[in-house]
Amino acid sequence: MGVTSELESLRLLVEHAPAAIAVVDTAMRYRLVSRRWLTDYGLGDRDLIGLSHYDVFPEIPETWRQALAGEVLRADEDSFVRIDGRVEWVRWELQPWRTTTGQVGGLVLFTEVITSDVGRIEASTEAQMAAMPDSSDLAGDLAAFARWHLADVMQPLRAALLAATGAP
């Protein structure tokens, strides 16, 4: 297989992958993107090839320098505020790719938008918190329970103690 056909195979693999994938060079310019990348980030049919990742996403801080030094970076839950004010939650991993000479040539970005998952978890947590009794009500309920049952336990103990000591 020639270099051209290998590159074309790689381009097709990335473009049609059922995941959000982008391949960037060391200047963070896009070399390849999957259709899912474009869909997940609302980029339509925009041609990103050659554009800087930071021009496409100016709201994202340049925090991935370690990956460009060869380190694999990942986050299970990471949020960023989009230009329009929406908060996006993503799971991501950055894998450095290397040139034929072994130098880092750029990064492969794998991402999954998990905003809806995080929203469901937050809603479930809020519902559970709302269903819990107010802590002041809970304290009062526990005190009433203790008084009621303490009287049940103390009555026989008092009678036994009085009988044992011979007190009237």
Side-chain angles (χ1 to χ4, degrees), residues 88-108:
E88 290 273 17
W89 286 88
V90 293
R91 178 178 297 124
W92 55 265
E93 182 169 323
L94 305 178
Q95 289 278 344
W97 61 268
R98 298 192 179 274
T99 65
T100 56
T101 62
Q103 298 296 316
V104 172
L107 303 173
V108 180

Side-chain angles (χ1 to χ4, degrees), residues 79-93:
S79 66
F80 67 97
V81 179
R82 299 294 302 264
I83 290 292
D84 63 7
R86 289 180 297 126
V87 176
E88 290 273 17
W89 286 88
V90 293
R91 178 178 297 124
W92 55 265
E93 182 169 323

Side-chain angles (χ1 to χ4, degrees), residues 140-155:
D141 291 346
L142 286 174
F145 176 82
R147 282 192 302 275
W148 178 268
H149 289 289
L150 188 57
D152 288 346
V153 172
M154 290 302 290
Q155 187 67 18

Side-chain angles (χ1 to χ4, degrees), residues 43-102:
L43 300 171
D45 290 331
R46 189 170 169 194
D47 183 12
L48 301 183
I49 307 307
L51 297 178
S52 167
H53 177 69
Y54 299 115
D55 288 340
V56 175
F57 297 100
E59 63 271 26
I60 295 178
E62 297 185 32
T63 57
W64 296 346
R65 298 276 181 224
Q66 294 163 292
L68 288 170
E71 186 178 337
V72 174
L73 300 178
R74 67 179 52 91
D76 288 330
E77 287 185 355
D78 197 8
S79 66
F80 67 97
V81 179
R82 299 294 302 264
I83 290 292
D84 63 7
R86 289 180 297 126
V87 176
E88 290 273 17
W89 286 88
V90 293
R91 178 178 297 124
W92 55 265
E93 182 169 323
L94 305 178
Q95 289 278 344
W97 61 268
R98 298 192 179 274
T99 65
T100 56
T101 62

